[in-house]
Amino acid sequence: MIDALWGWPPPVLDPAGPYADKVTTLAWALFGMGVVVTAIVCAALWLAVRGSPRMKALIGGERTIWIGGIAFPGVVLLGLLVWGLTLTASLTQPIRGDEMRIRITGEMWWFRVQYLNADGDIVMEDANELHLPVGVPVVLELEGADVIHSFWVPHLSGKKDMIPGRRTLLRVQADRPGEFGGLCAEYCGSQHALMGFVAIAHKESDWQTWFDDRTTRVARTEMLAETAPPDAMPYPGDAAAYPMELGTLERYDARRGMRLFMESGCAACHRIAGTEANGLAGPDLTHVGSRRSLGAGILPNNRGTMMGWIGDSQSIKPGNRMPSYDVLSAEDIGHIAAFLELQK
Amino acid sequence: MTSSSLMAGLRDHPNEIDRMGRFAAMKRVGVASAIVLGLLSACKNPIGSRYEPDDAAQERGLLAINEAGCAACHEIPGVAWPKGRLGPSLDGFDDVGMIAGQLPNRPDLLAVFIRNAPSVKRHTTMPAMPVTQSEAADIAAYLYGLDDD
């Protein structure tokens, strides 16, 4: 997420869809008008100090106040207001009801993402990632679970608050495939700065394939039964064996990881569809293995960061609601990470 | 033998002057090289930091560290955030004794450890990390380049 927010041009000046485009156009117009007015004021000031007596008399009269102080700003501001409202009218267009809908809930300090069907039922749940098809307007239902957060993906739209007890709607659309970083834009507690998000725009057909694959996913638990038991795995532990290629060594047992996940308390807060893990307090981990990042857009997703997060998330994001599982052995943490990696 | 008779003797054997001059010159070279060697050995770092990585490798190493998220478990100088505490702090790594308390402190072995720790230290907590061999070498260069003293 952090990467997706850097770069040139800055995301706010690099709209990737029609709604962000309008915000950017308006911003440039206001900036341009500001430059013009500042130039006029500076020129008038220069003439008032250094100009000829005739010029001083010309700009010193009451007429200048009427024209430059009342008529000009009145016309310009009114014009900008009317033009700006017309330009951005589509941002606040009423929702037709047949749009694709995704509910995003701000929690301390991550984003819950729920894909809804036409009836408003949740068909798939994810966290800190929004996948959307290119060229299709998507209505985001924004909510706050605890305090006020604000949803902002600068490439796609302006900011919109996520308020507890109230649902706000935001329309977004991406016109080109890509990954667009986002973040919480309303101070929401000590780890507000580490509350990131990424929106990923796919070509429409790719998105449909992705969505079908996700919604028809069966838990990756059956697959676990097919893996060899850990003692049967070769263990090339000798220094003589290096350098070895990654993937040749798998000493972690994902099946054991699953059991640990269910028994150590993970399942009380996290849900994995198709298993008995059905906790709702924390992020849904059904697809955690395919996420771009961990910890709400803040860490790359690999075995090492996963183990670091499970074992001591409090040192990474102090105050987050997941306790550091340093009561588990390193081996147990490795097994759980191996299990979670399979949850694509 | 008085000095005058020595001078007289030398006058009779001119080659002797040459030989003595050469001896003096050799002595000077010897002293000078002893001083230089002495200075050099005084500058020599402790065993852990004798490896002097180049700057470009260190820069690439820091990038690779950030990309792989090493700091999720390790406090690493030069990485402002995160400062994970699941693994040991890598502060002052240039002065460390053995790698992970167990392996000989060699840049090539450190690179292997970074890439696939369990292959060289059986029961280590650190898992294999998704970095290429050259990235691992760069990360090792970065860690050896940390010099806080």
Side-chain angles (χ1 to χ4, degrees), chain A residues 74-337:
Chain A
V75 169
V76 167
L77 291 180
L78 194 70
L80 276 178
L81 180 69
V82 171
W83 175 73
L85 287 178
T86 319
L87 180 77
T88 55
S90 64
L91 302 186
T92 49
Q93 256 173 18
I95 307 297
R96 291 196 312 271
D98 59 345
E99 295 97 339
M100 187 177 142
R101 281 194 293 167
I102 300 172
R103 183 177 301 152
I104 303 183
T105 311
E107 315 223 1
M108 289 162 88
W109 294 280
W110 57 284
F111 295 92
R112 188 189 293 274
V113 181
Q114 293 161 323
Y115 295 76
L116 309 179
N117 64 12
D119 300 329
D121 302 325
I122 299 164
V123 286
M124 201 252 291
E125 185 160 338
D126 202 359
N128 307 318
E129 253 179 41
L130 166 68
H131 293 255
L132 67 172
V134 162
V136 176
V138 178
V139 172
L140 303 180
E141 302 184 357
L142 304 177
E143 295 180 2
D146 30 39
V147 298
I148 299 177
H149 302 272
S150 179
F151 181 86
W152 191 32
V153 178
H155 280 105
L156 297 184
S157 74
K159 303 166 188 170
K160 193 96 173 189
D161 278 2
M162 314 173 99
I163 304 165
R166 187 174 159 177
R167 184 170 293 169
T168 44
L169 300 176
L170 176 69
R171 205 191 300 257
V172 296
Q173 180 180 328
D175 282 345
R176 56 178 151 99
E179 295 191 12
F180 309 114
L183 37 70
C184 176
E186 177 75 35
Y187 181 72
C188 60
S190 62
Q191 299 305 324
H192 159 66
L194 297 182
M195 184 168 165
F197 188 83
V198 64
I200 301 147
H202 305 266
K203 275 186 282 180
E204 200 172 355
S205 55
D206 293 350
W207 183 86
Q208 197 58 50
T209 315
W210 170 87
F211 188 74
D212 293 344
D213 181 53
R214 281 234 168 158
T215 43
T216 54
R217 170 194 181 279
V218 286
R220 299 292 196 266
T221 45
E222 287 165 26
M223 179 173 133
L224 293 178
E226 293 159 23
T227 57
D231 9 2
M233 290 181 191
Y235 187 78
D238 296 326
Y242 74 83
M244 26 183 311
E245 289 308 308
L246 282 176
T248 54
L249 176 84
E250 180 55 275
R251 71 196 173 114
Y252 296 113
D253 180 3
R255 281 180 309 162
R256 195 160 168 267
M258 180 169 79
R259 206 164 64 235
L260 284 161
F261 187 90
M262 302 304 165
E263 290 166 5
S264 312
C266 314
C269 290
H270 295 287
R271 174 175 167 270
I272 294 180
T275 74
E276 57 199 82
N278 57 3
L280 297 175
D284 191 302
L285 299 182
T286 309
H287 307 288
V288 71
S290 56
R291 281 198 201 133
R292 301 288 195 283
S293 68
L294 292 180
I298 58 174
L299 293 174
N301 186 0
N302 59 48
R303 177 71 57 83
T305 53
M306 179 70 90
M307 288 178 68
W309 180 267
I310 297 169
D312 200 358
S313 71
Q314 292 299 326
S315 69
I316 298 170
K317 199 168 173 179
N320 87 81
R321 293 197 175 148
M322 174 160 158
S324 290
Y325 271 82
D326 45 12
V327 291
L328 296 176
S329 72
E331 203 178 19
D332 289 349
I333 292 174
H335 293 327
I336 294 175

Side-chain angles (χ1 to χ4, degrees), chain A residues 235 237 246 251 302 308 315-316 330, chain B residues 68 73 81 85 118-119 122 124-125:
Chain A
Y235 187 78
L246 282 176
R251 71 196 173 114
N302 59 48
S315 69
I316 298 170
Chain B
C73 294
W81 177 92
R85 301 306 310 273
S119 73
R122 185 166 184 147
T124 182
T125 305

Side-chain angles (χ1 to χ4, degrees), chain B residues 109-131:
Chain B
L109 202 49
L110 178 60
V112 173
F113 185 82
I114 288 166
R115 187 146 185 262
N116 200 344
S119 73
V120 283
K121 187 184 173 192
R122 185 166 184 147
H123 290 297
T124 182
T125 305
M126 180 159 153
M129 291 295 288
V131 293

